[in-house]
Amino acid sequence: MNCSDTGRLQALLSALLRELRRGGNASAAGAGPGPGADASLYILLIMIFYGCLAGGLILAYTRSRKLESKHDPYHLYIERDWGRGG
């Protein structure tokens, strides 16, 4: 097809637009889920992913702080030498 032939290109685009509108109306009449169903599922999955990521980071940070306070030699020194009252 020669793209310089505007009449033929216009007819092709018009036919494509009519076909898309007909297919869109048939699905909107109840043949399937609405057009926003996939978007809602995608947003839900992304929110679950970032929620799990944030929860994992918070849990890892909390565990690392507990391990640091138990076995860190500096904290043991402060507890042993400074705990006598000065």
Side-chain angles (χ1 to χ4, degrees):
M1 182 176 124
N2 188 0
C3 289
S4 63
D5 185 13
T6 58
R8 195 169 170 196
L9 181 61
Q10 184 68 28
L12 177 67
L13 291 175
S14 297
L16 180 64
L17 183 61
R18 278 192 306 270
E19 182 66 31
L20 288 174
R21 284 185 180 166
R22 187 179 330 133
N25 288 340
S27 67
D38 290 336
S40 300
L41 180 65
Y42 176 74
I43 291 171
L44 179 66
L45 289 175
I46 294 298
M47 289 176 62
I48 289 172
F49 171 73
Y50 281 115
C52 290
L53 181 66
L57 288 174
I58 290 171
L59 187 64
Y61 177 76
T62 304
R63 286 187 177 182
S64 73
R65 298 299 294 173
K66 283 182 182 178
L67 290 176
E68 179 183 319
S69 65
K70 286 182 181 176
H71 303 291
D72 190 11
Y74 178 74
H75 291 293
L76 293 174
Y77 162 75
I78 295 294
E79 182 180 319
R80 186 183 65 228
D81 292 344
W82 290 34
R84 294 184 207 155

